[in-house]
Amino acid sequence: MDPGASGALAFYRPDQPARIEVYDAPIVDKQLDVPELARLIRASGATEAIVERVSAMPKQGVSSTFKFGMAYGAVLAAVAVLELPLRQETPGRWKRHFRLDSDKERARALAIQTWPSSADFRLKKHHGRAEAALIARFAAEVVR
């Protein structure tokens, strides 16, 4: 999962290379909908979770930082309640694996190239989906 209000979650099944399921983070009243997040994870049949390890960013406002931290904590709590093994990876590590930088359009382009039959990444605003999908692929290729 790419946490945060503009984030997304992806379920990748490496035994089926074209198989990626991607969802925008469920949001209600500008906050992460934790029960819906847990429902999506449970319904997917996920057996483990990989979450991008995030932190506050320079020049980000106090209110934004607080909301981001709340969403990140909610993701970790949902995974814990579902009793899934959890691994957190820094953006630097998973992006280095794919030779990506901070350019979200490059991540989206790679997701389109990796899953050409998926319409989940076609719009510029789908960068969170692309990053979540790539994080899931990273887990399958490196973590396992």
Side-chain angles (χ1 to χ4, degrees), residues 63-84:
S63 179
S64 296
T65 300
F66 181 78
K67 286 179 184 176
F68 190 58
M70 287 288 294
Y72 180 54
V75 168
L76 299 180
V79 170
V81 166
L82 294 171
E83 299 181 341
L84 291 174

Side-chain angles (χ1 to χ4, degrees), residues 44-66:
S44 77
T47 56
E48 59 189 311
I50 183 164
V51 177
E52 187 176 56
R53 181 184 300 270
V54 295
S55 60
M57 297 183 297
K59 299 184 182 182
Q60 190 176 28
V62 175
S63 179
S64 296
T65 300
F66 181 78

